[in-house]
Amino acid sequence: MTILDLAPVVPVVVIEDVGTAVPLARALVAGGLPVIEVTLRTPCALDAVRRIAAEVPDAVVGAGTVRTPADVEAATRAGSQFLVSPGCTPNLVNAMEGSGLPFLPGAATASEVMVLAERGLNELKFFPAVPAGGIAYLKALAGPIPEVRFCPTGGIRPETAHEFLALSNVGCVGGTWLTPADAIASGDFGRIEKLASEAAALRH
Ligand code: 3PG
């Protein structure tokens, strides 16, 4: 599976209450965004992955903020279908490769991209996308390293997503704008579905 080609936008979600995981995932799928990255930043994140994997068959649920081999192990056991990391260490890449799951290792500089490309990894997360140089930096990477494609994440907004998606080395973009904390907390999944359907209309 090529994660970058499944959907133009990957919602990056922070789940505080596991009871919101399934309705949230259903709203994103209904809006047309089936690929969901649940960040391992909250105590219930792995439970959220487990529930979405079990109860929302049309979702492709993965774990984000994967930082250690232990995270890889836990995320895999919970039923993650892909793994995303904000950056990379050799131990982490070894563990992600060992999981057998598709994964997007994080990189933010030409050297980091080259280290990962040397290992045959040509699909990466570009993080933190906007602070690290945004569109101008991605365009600059496409010259010397055209074979590596990215999912930029970090600072991307609905108004700027299409500019990233227009780049030759961008497969999809990620972001938290689709799942505002207040909408999740108040159970306003209709708003989340609407945000998802607007994002799903963006095309590469
Ligand atoms: C991530 O974890 O990938 C980013 O924090 C998402 O960034 P955003 O909130 O700027 O979309």
Side-chain angles (χ1 to χ4, degrees):
M1 180 178 75
T2 303
I3 304 162
L4 295 191
D5 297 320
L6 289 179
V9 178
V10 175
V12 175
V13 307
V14 180
I15 297 180
E16 303 283 353
D17 168 5
V18 74
T20 63
V22 166
L24 176 67
R26 287 197 177 124
L28 291 168
V29 170
L33 297 183
V35 184
I36 303 169
E37 175 187 331
V38 176
T39 57
L40 302 186
R41 294 181 205 170
T42 55
C44 72
L46 289 168
D47 267 338
V49 169
R50 220 171 269 123
R51 289 213 196 168
I52 295 169
E55 295 179 45
V56 192
D58 291 336
V60 178
V61 62
T65 321
V66 172
R67 293 177 45 192
T68 65
D71 290 340
V72 171
E73 168 79 20
T76 306
R77 276 179 194 272
S80 298
Q81 291 164 275
F82 65 91
L83 306 169
V84 184
S85 67
C88 260
T89 69
N91 283 342
L92 179 58
V93 180
N94 289 341
M96 289 197 292
E97 276 180 339
S99 74
L101 294 174
F103 63 98
L104 292 177
T109 66
S111 292
E112 290 165 9
V113 172
M114 286 166 64
V115 167
L116 292 164
E118 212 169 71
R119 295 185 63 143
L121 300 170
N122 287 340
E123 296 204 339
L124 311 178
K125 167 161 163 156
F126 180 61
F127 178 82
V130 172
I135 288 168
Y137 201 99
L138 284 161
K139 272 190 190 163
L141 288 174
I145 320 173
E147 74 280 15
V148 176
R149 294 196 309 145
F150 299 92
C151 172
T153 307
I156 298 177
R157 297 288 167 259
E159 314 78 60
T160 55
H162 71 280
E163 296 173 47
F164 282 90
L165 288 167
L167 301 177
S168 63
N169 56 349
V170 168
C172 64
V173 302
T176 57
W177 82 85
L178 302 124
T179 53
D182 62 329
I184 302 177
S186 64
D188 189 355
F189 299 109
R191 182 171 154 212
I192 289 170
E193 182 177 334
K194 184 164 179 290
L195 288 166
S197 63
E198 286 162 5
L202 295 168
R203 284 282 169 266
H204 186 264

